[in-house]
């Protein structure tokens, strides 16, 4: 989880650094950084669902289907990301090396919503296993904060809140659990 988050944050910083520069290094840099940022965020959600499945599995019978669904969806998102190298599915770049959302950008957020809904379903189903308030705050916080950030980010294209919300949520998980 930490590795995926760190990778996503680093990719975001590098994408911002290379954006708008038209030299060869920046041309490659912005593309690699955006690819890695999307990839790390896809893997982060699958990793978190794996984490809560194992964590809650110590205290309750956790259904495996949500994890299997998210793993399959993650594989599909990674395949679409590779396709994006050739056909703008999620994003593209203009002549000034600036990132722009592509028509199917919303699918990447749909994956996030799907994963969060499945995480919430597991948390509701296994709620009796969450006896400590700190557990509830940490695990539900990981869903609520990124969801709020995603909703704001979908409306306000310029704000990059999702990585910040993920980071705060992960810190809560590791501090409270």
């Amino acid at each position: 989880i930490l590795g995926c988050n760190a990778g996503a944050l680093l990719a975001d910083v590098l994408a911002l650094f290379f954006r708008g520069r038209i030299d060869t290094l920046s041309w490659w840099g912005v593309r690699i950084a955006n690819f890695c940022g999307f990839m790390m965020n896809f893997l982060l959600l699958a990793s978190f669902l794996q984490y809560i499945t194992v964590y809650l599995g110590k205290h309750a019978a956790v259904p495996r289907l949500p994890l299997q669904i998210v793993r399959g969806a993650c594989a599909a998102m990674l395949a679409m990301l590779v396709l994006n190298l050739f056909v703008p599915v999620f994003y593209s770049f203009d002549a000034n090396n600036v990132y722009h959302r592509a028509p199917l950008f919303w699918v990447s957020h749909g994956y996030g919503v799907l994963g969060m809904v499945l995480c919430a379903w597991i948390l509701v189903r296994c709620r009796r296993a969450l006896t400590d308030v700190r557990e509830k705050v940490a695990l539900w916080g990981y869903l609520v904060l990124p969801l709020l950030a995603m909703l704001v980010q979908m409306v306000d294209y310029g704000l990059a809140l999702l990585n910040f919300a993920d980071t705060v949520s992960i810190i809560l998980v590791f501090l409270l659990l």
Side-chain angles (χ1 to χ4, degrees):
I1 293 174
L2 289 174
C4 290
N5 191 61
L9 292 172
L10 178 61
D12 200 35
V13 167
L14 290 173
L16 290 171
F17 176 77
F18 290 122
R19 180 180 63 187
R21 299 173 186 218
I22 53 174
D23 58 281
T24 303
L25 177 64
S26 297
W27 189 90
W28 284 104
V30 78
R31 283 156 180 77
I32 292 168
N34 277 282
F35 181 90
C36 289
F38 270 78
M39 178 182 67
M40 289 299 175
N41 280 309
F42 293 151
L43 294 173
L44 178 61
L45 181 57
S47 298
F48 182 72
L49 193 62
Q50 172 74 33
Y51 178 81
I52 67 166
T53 300
V54 171
Y55 182 82
L56 292 173
K58 295 175 186 176
H59 310 289
V62 180
R64 304 295 283 177
L65 184 61
L67 182 57
Q68 293 168 341
I69 291 170
V70 165
R71 284 179 177 166
C74 182
M77 291 296 100
L78 293 173
M80 289 178 73
L81 186 59
V82 170
L83 177 64
N84 194 88
L85 295 172
F86 308 101
V87 179
V89 177
F90 297 133
Y91 58 85
S92 64
F93 303 96
D94 64 19
N96 293 318
N97 210 28
V98 175
Y99 166 98
H100 296 281
R101 289 179 176 173
L104 293 179
F105 174 82
W106 63 270
V107 174
S108 66
H109 278 288
Y111 164 73
V113 171
L114 170 69
M116 289 179 191
V117 166
L118 291 172
C119 285
W121 181 72
I122 288 173
L123 291 175
V124 168
R125 182 143 188 231
C126 299
R127 66 188 171 279
R128 289 183 186 89
L130 297 173
T131 56
D132 188 355
V133 171
R134 295 180 318 158
E135 288 177 318
K136 293 175 185 174
V137 168
L139 295 175
W140 279 105
Y142 188 83
L143 298 176
V144 172
L145 292 175
L147 182 61
L148 291 174
M150 187 185 302
L151 292 173
V152 171
Q153 200 168 307
M154 288 171 86
V155 174
D156 190 339
Y157 180 40
L159 291 176
L161 296 176
L162 189 54
N163 287 342
F164 177 72
D166 284 341
T167 302
V168 170
S169 301
I170 290 168
I171 290 169
L172 284 174
V173 166
F174 285 102
L175 287 177
L176 298 177
L177 296 183

